[in-house]
């Protein structure tokens, strides 16, 4: 009988920022859409979730080791699911709508003045039921998905 030997294999996804990066500034994103409220909604959730998820402390841009900045480039609402009209005088029935949100993001190491991670087009969709939910529901879901994609992207780089 052949003795079994242990296999020592490890995988660590998202090992974190470089050791000297301990603080991060979250800058409100520029916004080229017609929805100014999105800036604050993205900023507030990103400020709450990003530093914690990366093991960093929030700080002002003048003293931070890293900075997250970006631009909101698209916000619109579409209708991915509807029921076609049944008759000549009947309108189609909207079943579901979705908020489409696209951003560009950069995470910059301010100590070494280098880009740690960037994405020129993170697109997310927040779906909501036309009959029982509002656009606010879809927008909140889209923003949550956006923040998760930024966190995942930051962790995938090292």
């Amino acid at each position: 009988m052949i003795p079994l030997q242990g296999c020592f294999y490890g995988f660590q996804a998202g090992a974190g920022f470089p050791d000297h990066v301990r603080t991060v500034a979250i800058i409100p994103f520029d916004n080229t859409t017609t929805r100014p409220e999105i800036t604050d909604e993205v900023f507030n959730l990103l400020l709450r979730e990003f530093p914690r998820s990366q093991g960093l402390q929030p700080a002002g841009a003048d003293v931070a080791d890293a900075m997250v900045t970006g631009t909101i480039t698209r916000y619109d609402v579409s209708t991915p699911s509807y029921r076609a009209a049944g008759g000549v005088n009947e309108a189609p029935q909207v079943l579901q709508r979705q908020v489409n949100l696209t951003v560009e993001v950069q995470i910059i190491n301010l100590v070494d003045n280098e880009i740690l991670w960037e994405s020129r087009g993170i697109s997310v969709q927040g779906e909501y039921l036309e009959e029982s939910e509002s656009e606010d529901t879809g927008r909140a879901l889209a923003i949550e998905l956006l923040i998760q994609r930024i966190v995942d992207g930051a962790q995938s780089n090292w």
Side-chain angles (χ1 to χ4, degrees), residues 26-90:
I26 308 295
I27 307 301
F29 286 13
D30 293 333
N31 186 347
T32 63
T33 74
T34 59
R35 301 296 298 263
E37 71 275 13
I38 301 300
T39 302
D40 286 341
E41 293 171 2
V42 168
F43 172 75
N44 289 332
L45 191 57
L46 192 59
L47 182 62
R48 188 173 74 224
E49 297 298 324
F50 189 83
R52 181 187 58 77
S53 71
Q54 304 301 315
L56 301 172
Q57 293 296 316
D62 55 336
V63 296
D65 301 321
M67 175 173 62
V68 179
T69 186
T71 302
I72 302 165
T73 59
R74 176 181 175 214
Y75 180 95
D76 63 49
V77 178
S78 62
T79 307
S81 179
Y82 64 93
R83 185 174 297 128
V88 176
N89 294 328
E90 191 176 309

Side-chain angles (χ1 to χ4, degrees):
M1 177 170 262
I2 301 172
L4 296 175
Q5 296 193 5
C7 176
F8 296 101
Y9 172 77
F11 175 74
Q12 184 176 4
F17 279 77
D19 289 339
H20 63 275
V21 174
R22 296 201 168 113
T23 58
V24 63
I26 308 295
I27 307 301
F29 286 13
D30 293 333
N31 186 347
T32 63
T33 74
T34 59
R35 301 296 298 263
E37 71 275 13
I38 301 300
T39 302
D40 286 341
E41 293 171 2
V42 168
F43 172 75
N44 289 332
L45 191 57
L46 192 59
L47 182 62
R48 188 173 74 224
E49 297 298 324
F50 189 83
R52 181 187 58 77
S53 71
Q54 304 301 315
L56 301 172
Q57 293 296 316
D62 55 336
V63 296
D65 301 321
M67 175 173 62
V68 179
T69 186
T71 302
I72 302 165
T73 59
R74 176 181 175 214
Y75 180 95
D76 63 49
V77 178
S78 62
T79 307
S81 179
Y82 64 93
R83 185 174 297 128
V88 176
N89 294 328
E90 191 176 309
Q93 180 185 9
V94 174
L95 302 175
Q96 186 179 54
R97 293 196 188 267
Q98 72 183 20
V99 171
N100 303 294
L101 185 60
T102 303
V103 301
E104 297 176 353
V105 181
Q106 280 190 332
I107 301 174
I108 303 166
N109 177 342
L110 297 173
V111 175
D112 297 331
N113 198 29
E114 67 180 349
I115 296 172
L116 294 172
W117 180 77
E118 71 179 327
S119 176
R120 293 285 171 200
I122 298 175
S123 292
V124 293
Q125 294 79 35
E127 297 178 347
Y128 62 99
L129 298 175
E130 173 75 5
E131 191 172 296
S132 61
E133 298 173 312
S134 70
E135 182 180 332
D136 292 345
T137 302
R139 185 172 64 244
L141 178 57
I143 292 170
E144 287 176 28
L145 292 169
L146 171 67
I147 302 310
Q148 187 59 53
R149 295 274 303 272
I150 294 170
V151 166
D152 292 347
Q155 291 175 343
S156 72
N157 198 46
W158 34 77

